[in-house]
Amino acid sequence: MMERSRAHALGLLGTLVLILFWAGLSFAEPHSSSVQERITFAFVRTLHDALPQSFHQVKVQNAASCGYLGDVFFAPGAISVEANEPERGLAAGDDLDELDNYEGQDASQVYDPFEGWNRFWFRFNDKFYLYVADPIYRGWQAVTPHQLRTGLKNFFHNILFPVRFVNNLLQFKLKAAGVEFGRFMMNTMCSAGFADPASTKKTIVPMDSAGEDFGQTLGYWGIGHGPYLVWPFIGPSSFRETLGRIGDLFAEPLFYVQPWWAASAGSLTLRFNDLDEVLPLYQDLTGAALDPYIAMREAYINYRNLHAQQ
Amino acid sequence: MRSVMRFFFVWALACLVFCAETALAASPRETLEVSLNQILDIIKSPAYANPAERDGLRKKIGQYVRASFDFQEFSARTVGAGWRNFSPQQKSAFADAFADLLINTYVNKIDGYNGEQIAFIGERLSPKGDRTEIQTVISQKNGKKIPVNYRMLPKGGTWKVYDVLIENISLVKNYRTQFQDLLRTTDPDQLIVRLREKASEVQKSDGKK
């Protein structure tokens, strides 16, 4: 009996100490949310270590809000531990076990048997972008208001909806296909596609920012890139991506517009109008590279692999 | 009752352990947030809009970047296995040149603040807990979101960045292939010279614009 009440007293005391300790943390520094966040985080970490998978993602959404006495409240579900599926861990499969296993990789995993041909067209394209495309685009920027350029961009993106929709279906991403359909309907009805109000809406599934295309579908089906290729004017590609590009043509509405030369001119103009998303990126990437050709090749293949996984 | 006591004992102990950990060093996320905010504050300052003052401020940003990034780790990972053949002098010369190139490329082209916002969206730990990836998203004014992840490791009592992933493309890996390709035909000294040349070339081309 005696022992039991002592245990009670000790237990109560222990709880009290902990409550005071916790409260003390809140009082000590009014903005000390991080300390409590860390304790919570440490707790989540123990949890996450206890889980069997080799890699998990600890997510803290909606940074904690402060209540009375500076206590930190996490909304229900604000902290979640997600086990990454093994095949979808990081960019490449080699990153799964650690964040840090850069050792022991081959210099490049890109198959590039046509390097001579590719380098020739890479140099050609480089000059073309620098001395032809970029100056013309600057001229285009000077004579058009940015509203027109953005409107045309949205319009082009919107008419390419069938490509994204079909490829979502081919990858069995039914919800994402639904999102694409909803966006298309919303944008088409409110502005014939010249505005993009749908982009501000939250989607039911995370969307691939670049949109799905047939190259990604082929990747999703497990088909590799094959040899790396550089096409004149178009730039980096691969056997798979070239096939994907041709496949996507059939889902492009402009492909069915007659006469063909008008459709091609329209398509070319719209593509040209999108150049400002590519040219600065290209200049950043190659400008800082010791070997621009390799920098471009690696970045392109990594980027495409990543999107094929998403 | 004993189990209750033991439970509280373990709980109290666990709390103490976590507190000791917090006392040691700021979390990697906090460390990163502090340095990113320092840099953002400079870019946001009105003085930065003045081209005459910009060069000095960019130097300051460069110092902050050098303080929070570990360019030796950057270099070791980009060069890979060949790093062992570098002498200590070559290592530090290479790291300096690489730092110059990266800073000239990424920092010195920031002309001013355009309403970019940085949001911290999550972090992942390696199973051992000695490597972490802080995930952020830079939101531009036009609604574009660029995911930027910083990989960090503990070094000298604080956390330092050893790789940056922009759109999930690792900066280290992008340079890795180039360096390894070049190292097949040139020696470390020549590579360092080429790095230095490139860094000053980038610097000059920026001055022209």
Side-chain angles (χ1 to χ4, degrees), chain A residues 94-113:
Chain A
D94 49 42
D95 269 331
L96 276 174
D97 45 341
E98 293 266 342
L99 285 172
D100 192 27
N101 63 341
Y102 294 83
E103 281 289 325
Q105 279 177 41
D106 292 327
S108 172
Q109 278 112 3
V110 180
Y111 180 47
D112 193 1

Side-chain angles (χ1 to χ4, degrees), chain A residues 10-115:
Chain A
L10 264 176
L12 269 173
L13 199 71
T15 319
L16 207 69
V17 164
L18 284 167
I19 291 172
L20 280 176
F21 171 72
W22 186 267
L25 279 183
S26 334
F27 281 121
E29 303 163 74
H31 300 295
S32 69
S33 68
S34 57
V35 177
Q36 283 156 332
E37 221 177 299
R38 266 183 70 69
I39 293 175
T40 322
F41 185 68
F43 173 67
V44 172
R45 203 168 114 189
T46 19
L47 200 88
H48 126 279
D49 285 341
L51 290 170
Q53 281 85 359
S54 62
F55 229 114
H56 322 283
Q57 196 155 13
V58 181
K59 279 189 175 164
V60 182
Q61 290 158 350
N62 296 333
S65 55
C66 285
Y68 296 109
L69 305 177
D71 286 11
V72 179
F73 293 112
F74 288 97
I79 299 182
S80 57
V81 179
E82 289 173 15
N84 282 341
E85 291 165 37
E87 69 273 18
R88 307 199 55 176
L90 265 182
D94 49 42
D95 269 331
L96 276 174
D97 45 341
E98 293 266 342
L99 285 172
D100 192 27
N101 63 341
Y102 294 83
E103 281 289 325
Q105 279 177 41
D106 292 327
S108 172
Q109 278 112 3
V110 180
Y111 180 47
D112 193 1
F114 307 119
E115 195 172 330

Side-chain angles (χ1 to χ4, degrees), chain A residues 160-309:
Chain A
L160 289 181
F161 149 76
V163 175
R164 298 188 297 274
F165 183 70
V166 166
N167 282 295
N168 269 315
L169 290 182
L170 288 175
Q171 295 174 45
F172 315 108
K173 293 174 179 163
L174 301 184
K175 282 181 182 166
V179 171
E180 289 291 359
F181 186 73
R183 282 177 172 173
F184 175 71
M185 293 307 278
M186 193 185 280
N187 290 342
T188 306
M189 285 196 283
C190 84
S191 65
F194 281 97
D196 190 8
S199 64
T200 59
K201 302 285 177 288
K202 198 169 179 287
T203 57
I204 47 169
V205 280
M207 299 292 288
D208 185 344
S209 52
E212 300 295 342
D213 56 47
F214 197 51
Q216 293 177 46
T217 300
L218 292 172
Y220 180 86
W221 290 347
I223 296 167
H225 276 285
Y228 176 72
L229 280 177
V230 179
W231 291 112
F233 304 109
I234 297 169
S237 188
S238 69
F239 266 37
R240 182 183 92 193
E241 301 300 336
T242 305
L243 197 66
R245 190 69 207 84
I246 293 166
D248 280 336
L249 269 182
F250 293 98
E252 276 182 27
L254 279 175
F255 184 69
Y256 298 99
V257 170
Q258 289 295 341
W260 65 269
W261 51 267
S264 306
S267 174
L268 206 65
T269 312
L270 290 169
R271 276 180 208 288
F272 171 73
N273 185 53
D274 278 352
L275 270 187
D276 67 333
E277 288 171 14
V278 191
L279 280 181
L281 212 72
Y282 174 79
Q283 278 155 5
D284 286 0
L285 186 74
T286 53
L290 286 188
D291 186 341
Y293 171 78
I294 290 185
M296 188 72 219
R297 187 183 76 189
E298 300 301 306
Y300 175 77
I301 294 292
N302 282 336
Y303 181 79
R304 289 300 298 175
N305 285 345
L306 203 79
H307 280 286
Q309 278 174 17

